[in-house]
Amino acid sequence: MSELYQKLEKIVSKNCISDNLYIRHAYSRTVDPVLQGVPDIVIRPTDAREVSEILKVANDENIAVISRGGGDCEFGGSKPIGDSGIVLDLKGMNNVLNLDQENLIVTVEAGISWGKLNDYLCNFGLYTGCLGPGSGLTASVGGGISHQSVGGGGCAKYGSCTNQLVSLEVVLPTGEIIETGSQANKYSKLPFNRFGNGPDFASLFCGDNGIFGVKTQVSLQVFPKPPFANYKTFLMPRKSEEISAKIFTEFRLKGIDVYDSMYFMDLLVRVGTEKGIFPLWENLKRKRGTMFYTVEANTEIELEEKVKQLDKIFLQNKAEELG
Ligand SMILES: Cc1cc2nc3c(=O)[nH]c(=O)nc-3n(C[C@H](O)[C@H](O)[C@H](O)COP(=O)(O)OP(=O)(O)OC[C@H]3O[C@@H](n4cnc5c(N)ncnc54)[C@H](O)[C@@H]3O)c2cc1C
Protein backbone atom coordinates (compact mmCIF):
# COMPACT_ATOMS: atom_id res chain seq x y z
CA MET A 1 0.00 0.00 0.00
CA SER A 2 1.48 3.36 -1.03
CA GLU A 3 2.25 6.21 1.37
CA LEU A 4 -0.25 8.34 -0.58
CA TYR A 5 -3.00 5.77 -0.02
CA GLN A 6 -2.24 5.67 3.71
CA LYS A 7 -2.62 9.45 3.95
CA LEU A 8 -5.87 9.49 1.96
CA GLU A 9 -7.53 6.60 3.78
CA LYS A 10 -7.47 8.69 6.96
CA ILE A 11 -9.74 11.26 5.26
CA VAL A 12 -12.66 9.16 3.97
CA SER A 13 -14.39 6.04 5.27
CA LYS A 14 -12.90 2.67 4.26
CA ASN A 15 -15.43 1.83 1.52
CA CYS A 16 -14.89 5.20 -0.21
CA ILE A 17 -11.30 4.64 -1.35
CA SER A 18 -9.71 2.00 -3.54
CA ASP A 19 -6.47 1.13 -5.27
CA ASN A 20 -7.90 -2.18 -6.49
CA LEU A 21 -6.83 -2.89 -10.08
CA TYR A 22 -10.39 -3.54 -11.33
CA ILE A 23 -11.77 -0.36 -9.77
CA ARG A 24 -8.88 1.68 -11.16
CA HIS A 25 -9.49 0.26 -14.63
CA ALA A 26 -13.22 0.94 -14.37
CA TYR A 27 -12.38 4.60 -13.66
CA SER A 28 -9.83 4.74 -16.49
CA ARG A 29 -12.74 5.01 -18.93
CA THR A 30 -15.82 7.14 -19.21
CA VAL A 31 -18.59 7.12 -21.82
CA ASP A 32 -15.65 7.57 -24.21
CA PRO A 33 -13.92 4.15 -24.24
CA VAL A 34 -10.43 5.35 -25.24
CA LEU A 35 -7.81 4.35 -22.67
CA GLN A 36 -5.73 7.44 -21.75
CA GLY A 37 -4.29 6.13 -18.50
CA VAL A 38 -5.14 4.30 -15.27
CA PRO A 39 -5.40 6.26 -11.99
CA ASP A 40 -3.43 5.26 -8.88
CA ILE A 41 -6.38 5.73 -6.54
CA VAL A 42 -10.13 6.27 -6.78
CA ILE A 43 -11.74 8.17 -3.93
CA ARG A 44 -15.35 9.12 -3.24
CA PRO A 45 -15.66 12.10 -0.85
CA THR A 46 -18.89 12.92 0.96
CA ASP A 47 -18.44 16.64 1.65
CA ALA A 48 -16.36 19.75 0.94
CA ARG A 49 -14.19 19.22 4.01
CA GLU A 50 -13.08 15.79 2.75
CA VAL A 51 -12.45 17.22 -0.74
CA SER A 52 -10.33 19.95 0.84
CA GLU A 53 -8.20 17.46 2.82
CA ILE A 54 -7.72 15.29 -0.29
CA LEU A 55 -6.55 18.29 -2.36
CA LYS A 56 -4.11 19.34 0.37
CA VAL A 57 -2.53 15.85 0.35
CA ALA A 58 -2.44 15.81 -3.47
CA ASN A 59 -0.73 19.21 -3.42
CA ASP A 60 1.91 18.01 -0.94
CA GLU A 61 2.54 14.91 -3.07
CA ASN A 62 2.35 16.88 -6.36
CA ILE A 63 -0.12 14.43 -7.88
CA ALA A 64 -2.95 15.23 -10.31
CA VAL A 65 -6.59 15.10 -9.19
CA ILE A 66 -9.29 14.45 -11.78
CA SER A 67 -12.85 15.38 -10.81
CA ARG A 68 -15.50 13.05 -12.14
CA GLY A 69 -19.27 13.51 -12.14
CA GLY A 70 -21.34 11.20 -14.35
CA GLY A 71 -18.35 10.44 -16.60
CA ASP A 72 -20.42 11.45 -19.64
CA CYS A 73 -17.78 13.72 -21.16
CA GLU A 74 -16.89 12.36 -24.62
CA PHE A 75 -13.54 14.16 -24.74
CA GLY A 76 -11.57 12.53 -21.94
CA GLY A 77 -12.00 15.33 -19.38
CA SER A 78 -12.96 13.13 -16.44
CA LYS A 79 -10.26 10.47 -16.69
CA PRO A 80 -6.49 10.56 -16.18
CA ILE A 81 -3.94 11.29 -18.87
CA GLY A 82 -1.12 8.80 -18.26
CA ASP A 83 -0.96 6.11 -15.56
CA SER A 84 -1.16 8.34 -12.52
CA GLY A 85 -3.46 10.55 -10.48
CA ILE A 86 -6.39 10.44 -8.10
CA VAL A 87 -9.89 10.21 -9.56
CA LEU A 88 -12.28 12.13 -7.32
CA ASP A 89 -15.69 10.51 -7.83
CA LEU A 90 -18.29 13.13 -6.85
CA LYS A 91 -21.31 10.87 -7.36
CA GLY A 92 -21.41 10.20 -3.62
CA MET A 93 -22.40 13.84 -3.13
CA ASN A 94 -25.85 13.69 -4.68
CA ASN A 95 -28.33 15.25 -2.26
CA VAL A 96 -30.73 18.15 -2.54
CA LEU A 97 -29.71 20.40 0.36
CA ASN A 98 -32.39 23.08 0.24
CA LEU A 99 -35.32 24.27 -1.85
CA ASP A 100 -36.06 27.93 -1.21
CA GLN A 101 -39.62 28.12 -2.53
CA GLU A 102 -39.92 31.87 -1.87
CA ASN A 103 -36.89 32.83 -3.93
CA LEU A 104 -37.12 29.82 -6.28
CA ILE A 105 -33.55 28.65 -5.70
CA VAL A 106 -32.43 25.07 -5.15
CA THR A 107 -29.11 24.15 -3.53
CA VAL A 108 -27.64 20.74 -4.31
CA GLU A 109 -24.48 18.75 -3.86
CA ALA A 110 -22.56 18.92 -7.14
CA GLY A 111 -22.66 15.16 -7.86
CA ILE A 112 -26.46 14.97 -8.17
CA SER A 113 -27.72 14.15 -11.68
CA TRP A 114 -30.00 16.51 -13.61
CA GLY A 115 -32.49 13.65 -13.77
CA LYS A 116 -32.64 13.12 -10.00
CA LEU A 117 -32.86 16.87 -9.36
CA ASN A 118 -35.72 17.40 -11.83
CA ASP A 119 -37.53 14.33 -10.47
CA TYR A 120 -37.41 15.96 -7.05
CA LEU A 121 -38.46 19.40 -8.34
CA CYS A 122 -41.49 18.08 -10.23
CA ASN A 123 -43.07 17.23 -6.84
CA PHE A 124 -43.32 21.02 -6.39
CA GLY A 125 -44.40 21.84 -9.99
CA LEU A 126 -40.89 23.20 -10.65
CA TYR A 127 -37.99 22.42 -13.01
CA THR A 128 -34.50 23.70 -13.72
CA GLY A 129 -35.54 25.42 -16.98
CA CYS A 130 -32.53 24.29 -19.02
CA LEU A 131 -32.44 20.59 -18.16
CA GLY A 132 -28.64 20.37 -18.53
CA PRO A 133 -27.15 18.12 -21.25
CA GLY A 134 -28.86 15.36 -23.24
CA SER A 135 -27.05 12.91 -20.94
CA GLY A 136 -28.74 14.44 -17.88
CA LEU A 137 -30.16 11.18 -16.51
CA THR A 138 -26.62 10.33 -15.38
CA ALA A 139 -24.57 13.52 -15.95
CA SER A 140 -24.12 15.62 -12.82
CA VAL A 141 -24.98 19.24 -12.13
CA GLY A 142 -21.29 19.90 -11.30
CA GLY A 143 -20.24 18.37 -14.64
CA GLY A 144 -22.85 20.46 -16.49
CA ILE A 145 -21.58 23.70 -14.92
CA SER A 146 -17.98 22.64 -15.66
CA HIS A 147 -18.97 22.12 -19.33
CA GLN A 148 -21.46 25.04 -19.78
CA SER A 149 -23.89 22.33 -20.90
CA VAL A 150 -26.90 22.88 -23.14
CA GLY A 151 -28.99 20.38 -25.08
CA GLY A 152 -31.15 18.35 -22.69
CA GLY A 153 -34.10 20.66 -23.33
CA GLY A 154 -35.02 24.23 -22.51
CA CYS A 155 -31.91 26.04 -23.73
CA ALA A 156 -33.81 28.04 -26.40
CA LYS A 157 -35.85 29.62 -23.59
CA TYR A 158 -33.43 29.54 -20.63
CA GLY A 159 -29.94 29.46 -22.19
CA SER A 160 -27.08 27.25 -20.97
CA CYS A 161 -27.38 25.66 -17.52
CA THR A 162 -24.86 28.23 -16.27
CA ASN A 163 -27.36 31.03 -17.05
CA GLN A 164 -29.42 29.99 -14.04
CA LEU A 165 -26.45 29.58 -11.71
CA VAL A 166 -26.80 31.58 -8.47
CA SER A 167 -23.81 30.49 -6.41
CA LEU A 168 -21.14 27.85 -6.03
CA GLU A 169 -19.17 26.32 -3.22
CA VAL A 170 -15.76 25.44 -4.67
CA VAL A 171 -12.69 23.82 -3.17
CA LEU A 172 -9.66 25.49 -4.73
CA PRO A 173 -6.59 23.40 -5.69
CA THR A 174 -4.93 24.61 -2.45
CA GLY A 175 -7.74 23.09 -0.39
CA GLU A 176 -9.32 26.45 0.48
CA ILE A 177 -13.14 26.36 0.43
CA ILE A 178 -14.81 29.43 -1.12
CA GLU A 179 -18.35 30.52 -1.93
CA THR A 180 -19.46 32.88 -4.70
CA GLY A 181 -22.21 35.49 -5.16
CA SER A 182 -24.34 36.43 -2.16
CA GLN A 183 -22.90 33.44 -0.27
CA ALA A 184 -19.50 35.12 -0.16
CA ASN A 185 -21.10 37.48 2.36
CA LYS A 186 -20.86 35.79 5.76
CA TYR A 187 -24.14 37.41 6.89
CA SER A 188 -26.14 35.87 4.02
CA LYS A 189 -28.08 32.85 5.25
CA LEU A 190 -29.22 31.44 1.91
CA PRO A 191 -28.00 32.06 -1.66
CA PHE A 192 -30.15 34.65 -3.41
CA ASN A 193 -27.98 36.57 -5.87
CA ARG A 194 -25.08 35.81 -8.23
CA PHE A 195 -24.45 39.39 -9.39
CA GLY A 196 -24.14 42.67 -7.52
CA ASN A 197 -21.65 41.52 -4.87
CA GLY A 198 -18.58 42.64 -6.77
CA PRO A 199 -17.09 40.66 -9.67
CA ASP A 200 -18.98 37.56 -10.84
CA PHE A 201 -16.53 34.97 -9.50
CA ALA A 202 -18.92 32.07 -10.27
CA SER A 203 -18.33 32.63 -13.99
CA LEU A 204 -14.62 31.75 -13.57
CA PHE A 205 -15.69 28.19 -12.79
CA CYS A 206 -18.27 27.89 -15.60
CA GLY A 207 -16.82 25.78 -18.40
CA ASP A 208 -13.49 25.36 -16.57
CA ASN A 209 -13.56 21.54 -16.88
CA GLY A 210 -12.71 21.40 -13.19
CA ILE A 211 -9.27 22.95 -13.70
CA PHE A 212 -9.85 25.88 -11.30
CA GLY A 213 -11.35 23.87 -8.46
CA VAL A 214 -13.81 21.21 -7.37
CA LYS A 215 -17.45 22.29 -7.24
CA THR A 216 -19.04 20.83 -4.15
CA GLN A 217 -22.34 22.76 -3.90
CA VAL A 218 -24.39 24.44 -6.61
CA SER A 219 -27.37 26.79 -6.23
CA LEU A 220 -29.61 27.22 -9.27
CA GLN A 221 -32.69 29.25 -10.07
CA VAL A 222 -35.73 27.05 -10.61
CA PHE A 223 -38.94 27.86 -12.49
CA PRO A 224 -42.62 26.87 -12.37
CA LYS A 225 -43.24 24.30 -15.09
CA PRO A 226 -46.03 25.58 -17.38
CA PRO A 227 -48.95 23.11 -17.53
CA PHE A 228 -49.36 23.07 -21.34
CA ALA A 229 -46.85 22.08 -24.02
CA ASN A 230 -46.78 21.04 -27.66
CA TYR A 231 -44.14 19.53 -29.90
CA LYS A 232 -43.90 19.31 -33.70
CA THR A 233 -41.36 18.12 -36.28
CA PHE A 234 -41.06 19.41 -39.85
CA LEU A 235 -39.41 18.07 -42.99
CA MET A 236 -37.30 20.87 -44.39
CA PRO A 237 -36.86 21.82 -48.05
CA ARG A 238 -33.68 20.79 -49.85
CA LYS A 239 -30.40 22.46 -48.69
CA SER A 240 -32.06 23.95 -45.63
CA GLU A 241 -29.11 25.13 -43.50
CA GLU A 242 -29.78 28.81 -44.22
CA ILE A 243 -33.55 28.40 -44.01
CA SER A 244 -33.26 26.83 -40.56
CA ALA A 245 -31.15 29.78 -39.38
CA LYS A 246 -33.82 32.14 -40.80
CA ILE A 247 -36.54 30.26 -38.90
CA PHE A 248 -34.60 30.54 -35.62
CA THR A 249 -34.28 34.30 -36.22
CA GLU A 250 -38.00 34.60 -36.97
CA PHE A 251 -38.85 32.97 -33.61
CA ARG A 252 -36.91 35.72 -31.90
CA LEU A 253 -38.18 38.58 -34.07
CA LYS A 254 -41.77 37.51 -33.38
CA GLY A 255 -40.99 37.26 -29.66
CA ILE A 256 -42.15 33.63 -29.34
CA ASP A 257 -40.46 32.00 -26.34
CA VAL A 258 -39.84 28.59 -27.92
CA TYR A 259 -38.77 26.16 -25.16
CA ASP A 260 -36.55 24.06 -27.38
CA SER A 261 -35.77 23.72 -31.07
CA MET A 262 -33.21 21.80 -33.05
CA TYR A 263 -32.27 21.40 -36.71
CA PHE A 264 -30.90 18.11 -38.09
CA MET A 265 -29.17 18.66 -41.43
CA ASP A 266 -29.83 16.39 -44.48
CA LEU A 267 -26.62 14.39 -44.04
CA LEU A 268 -27.36 13.65 -40.39
CA VAL A 269 -30.90 12.47 -41.17
CA ARG A 270 -29.66 10.26 -44.04
CA VAL A 271 -26.73 8.67 -42.20
CA GLY A 272 -28.63 8.53 -38.88
CA THR A 273 -31.56 6.60 -40.39
CA GLU A 274 -29.20 4.26 -42.30
CA LYS A 275 -27.46 3.44 -39.00
CA GLY A 276 -30.77 2.96 -37.17
CA ILE A 277 -30.27 5.98 -34.86
CA PHE A 278 -33.53 7.64 -36.00
CA PRO A 279 -35.93 4.69 -36.53
CA LEU A 280 -38.96 7.03 -36.65
CA TRP A 281 -37.64 8.61 -39.84
CA GLU A 282 -36.92 5.34 -41.67
CA ASN A 283 -40.12 5.64 -43.72
CA LEU A 284 -39.41 9.17 -44.91
CA LYS A 285 -39.40 9.09 -48.72
CA ARG A 286 -37.06 12.05 -48.93
CA LYS A 287 -34.19 12.03 -46.43
CA ARG A 288 -33.99 15.78 -46.00
CA GLY A 289 -33.19 17.93 -43.00
CA THR A 290 -35.70 18.01 -40.15
CA MET A 291 -36.40 20.58 -37.48
CA PHE A 292 -38.53 20.41 -34.34
CA TYR A 293 -39.89 22.83 -31.80
CA THR A 294 -41.27 22.44 -28.29
CA VAL A 295 -43.35 25.26 -26.87
CA GLU A 296 -44.95 25.76 -23.46
CA ALA A 297 -47.85 27.88 -22.21
CA ASN A 298 -49.86 28.66 -19.11
CA THR A 299 -53.26 28.26 -20.81
CA GLU A 300 -54.64 26.20 -23.68
CA ILE A 301 -55.53 29.36 -25.64
CA GLU A 302 -51.99 30.74 -25.27
CA LEU A 303 -50.59 27.41 -26.48
CA GLU A 304 -52.88 27.33 -29.53
CA GLU A 305 -51.85 30.87 -30.46
CA LYS A 306 -48.12 30.08 -30.17
CA VAL A 307 -48.49 26.87 -32.20
CA LYS A 308 -50.39 28.78 -34.90
CA GLN A 309 -47.63 31.39 -35.17
CA LEU A 310 -44.84 28.79 -35.19
CA ASP A 311 -46.54 26.59 -37.81
CA LYS A 312 -47.00 29.66 -40.01
CA ILE A 313 -43.25 30.41 -39.85
CA PHE A 314 -42.38 26.84 -40.88
CA LEU A 315 -44.97 26.60 -43.67
CA GLN A 316 -44.01 29.99 -45.11
CA ASN A 317 -40.45 28.66 -45.33
CA LYS A 318 -41.68 25.63 -47.33
CA ALA A 319 -41.28 23.06 -44.54
CA GLU A 320 -43.78 20.16 -44.38
CA GLU A 321 -45.33 19.12 -41.07
CA LEU A 322 -44.46 15.54 -40.04
CA GLY A 323 -46.43 15.57 -36.81
C1 LIG B 1 -25.57 10.61 -24.83
C2 LIG B 1 -24.87 11.92 -24.50
C3 LIG B 1 -25.54 13.11 -24.73
C4 LIG B 1 -24.90 14.32 -24.44
N1 LIG B 1 -25.58 15.46 -24.68
C5 LIG B 1 -25.00 16.64 -24.40
C6 LIG B 1 -25.73 17.85 -24.65
O1 LIG B 1 -26.86 17.83 -25.11
N2 LIG B 1 -25.11 19.01 -24.35
C7 LIG B 1 -23.84 19.06 -23.82
O2 LIG B 1 -23.36 20.15 -23.54
N3 LIG B 1 -23.14 17.93 -23.60
C8 LIG B 1 -23.68 16.73 -23.86
N4 LIG B 1 -23.00 15.58 -23.61
C9 LIG B 1 -21.64 15.67 -23.01
C10 LIG B 1 -21.63 15.53 -21.46
O3 LIG B 1 -22.52 14.53 -21.06
C11 LIG B 1 -22.03 16.80 -20.74
O4 LIG B 1 -21.12 17.81 -21.08
C12 LIG B 1 -22.19 16.67 -19.22
O5 LIG B 1 -22.51 17.94 -18.69
C13 LIG B 1 -21.02 16.11 -18.47
O6 LIG B 1 -21.42 15.93 -17.11
P1 LIG B 1 -20.79 14.78 -16.21
O7 LIG B 1 -21.33 14.90 -14.84
O8 LIG B 1 -20.92 13.47 -16.86
O9 LIG B 1 -19.28 15.27 -16.21
P2 LIG B 1 -17.96 14.41 -16.35
O10 LIG B 1 -17.87 13.78 -17.68
O11 LIG B 1 -17.79 13.54 -15.19
O12 LIG B 1 -16.91 15.62 -16.26
C14 LIG B 1 -16.86 16.62 -17.24
C15 LIG B 1 -15.77 17.63 -16.89
O13 LIG B 1 -16.14 18.36 -15.73
C16 LIG B 1 -15.25 18.12 -14.65
N5 LIG B 1 -16.09 17.97 -13.45
C17 LIG B 1 -17.12 17.11 -13.25
N6 LIG B 1 -17.69 17.33 -12.06
C18 LIG B 1 -17.01 18.35 -11.49
C19 LIG B 1 -17.10 19.04 -10.24
N7 LIG B 1 -18.03 18.75 -9.33
N8 LIG B 1 -16.22 20.03 -9.99
C20 LIG B 1 -15.28 20.37 -10.90
N9 LIG B 1 -15.14 19.75 -12.09
C21 LIG B 1 -15.99 18.76 -12.38
C22 LIG B 1 -14.46 16.88 -15.03
O14 LIG B 1 -13.16 16.88 -14.49
C23 LIG B 1 -14.44 16.97 -16.55
O15 LIG B 1 -13.41 17.82 -16.99
C24 LIG B 1 -23.59 14.34 -23.90
C25 LIG B 1 -22.93 13.13 -23.67
C26 LIG B 1 -23.56 11.93 -23.97
C27 LIG B 1 -22.83 10.66 -23.69
Side-chain angles (χ1 to χ4, degrees):
M1 195 178 289
S2 69
E3 212 176 292
L4 174 67
Y5 189 95
Q6 286 171 6
K7 286 185 182 170
L8 292 173
E9 73 172 348
K10 291 191 187 120
I11 300 171
V12 294
S13 61
K14 259 199 161 21
N15 58 351
C16 291
I17 180 165
S18 180
D19 60 356
N20 171 293
L21 185 67
Y22 298 110
I23 302 280
R24 286 163 48 217
H25 270 270
Y27 280 84
S28 68
R29 289 178 174 86
T30 53
V31 71
D32 145 35
V34 176
L35 182 64
Q36 296 179 164
V38 182
D40 296 317
I41 292 171
V42 177
I43 193 161
R44 188 176 252 210
T46 53
D47 60 24
R49 191 197 53 80
E50 287 184 0
V51 173
S52 163
E53 294 306 313
I54 294 164
L55 293 191
K56 283 178 192 162
V57 170
N59 245 336
D60 285 347
E61 301 283 331
N62 199 20
I63 185 159
V65 175
I66 305 101
S67 298
R68 176 176 168 134
D72 286 293
C73 168
E74 308 103 326
F75 313 110
S78 41
K79 55 189 184 180
I81 302 174
D83 290 339
S84 162
I86 302 167
V87 169
L88 198 62
D89 175 4
L90 290 146
K91 275 291 185 163
M93 295 172 61
N94 61 6
N95 294 301
V96 175
L97 299 174
N98 185 55
L99 175 60
D100 176 352
Q101 290 195 68
E102 272 178 34
N103 293 304
L104 292 178
I105 291 170
V106 72
T107 301
V108 295
E109 291 180 315
I112 194 171
S113 72
W114 292 95
K116 181 175 171 187
L117 172 56
N118 278 289
D119 240 21
Y120 167 82
L121 290 172
C122 80
N123 296 319
F124 304 90
L126 300 169
Y127 67 165
T128 53
C130 165
L131 303 178
S135 52
L137 282 180
T138 50
S140 67
V141 169
I145 301 293
S146 306
H147 265 184
Q148 305 260 31
S149 282
V150 292
C155 56
K157 186 168 169 182
Y158 294 97
S160 145
C161 67
T162 47
N163 281 51
Q164 59 235 41
L165 180 62
V166 178
S167 76
L168 287 172
E169 178 189 74
V170 183
V171 185
L172 299 180
T174 53
E176 188 186 347
I177 303 173
I178 62 153
E179 290 184 273
T180 66
S182 53
Q183 282 313 88
N185 182 333
K186 65 178 179 184
Y187 298 109
S188 165
K189 236 168 113 187
L190 289 171
F192 65 92
N193 186 10
R194 170 168 165 186
F195 307 103
N197 295 72
D200 172 23
F201 285 118
S203 68
L204 282 176
F205 302 97
C206 297
D208 72 339
N209 278 278
I211 301 293
F212 294 157
V214 181
K215 295 158 192 79
T216 43
Q217 275 183 33
V218 182
S219 297
L220 297 169
Q221 283 180 309
V222 293
F223 305 89
K225 190 168 163 43
F228 298 94
N230 203 339
Y231 163 93
K232 277 192 189 179
T233 305
F234 291 82
L235 185 66
M236 301 293 280
R238 203 174 281 283
K239 296 197 176 139
S240 49
E241 287 81 0
E242 279 180 24
I243 298 172
S244 65
K246 188 167 160 251
I247 291 178
F248 284 127
T249 306
E250 282 183 40
F251 293 165
R252 296 177 65 195
L253 287 173
K254 295 238 154 55
I256 313 170
D257 59 342
V258 173
Y259 176 73
D260 204 15
S261 183
M262 206 180 276
Y263 167 65
F264 297 84
M265 60 201 292
D266 311 25
L267 182 70
L268 195 65
V269 173
R270 212 172 41 246
V271 177
T273 37
E274 273 166 23
K275 304 250 179 240
I277 300 171
F278 305 129
L280 282 177
W281 296 341
E282 255 164 31
N283 295 331
L284 280 182
K285 284 200 196 99
R286 290 150 297 165
K287 300 281 186 292
R288 293 208 218 117
T290 60
M291 189 165 169
F292 76 79
Y293 72 74
T294 309
V295 67
E296 303 173 317
N298 287 316
T299 65
E300 229 166 328
I301 295 173
E302 184 194 340
L303 184 67
E304 267 171 33
E305 186 51 38
K306 283 181 176 173
V307 167
K308 213 158 78 190
Q309 287 188 51
L310 286 166
D311 288 356
K312 195 169 161 197
I313 294 176
F314 277 92
L315 298 177
Q316 277 177 347
N317 282 288
K318 306 210 162 29
E320 294 167 43
E321 187 177 327
L322 289 175

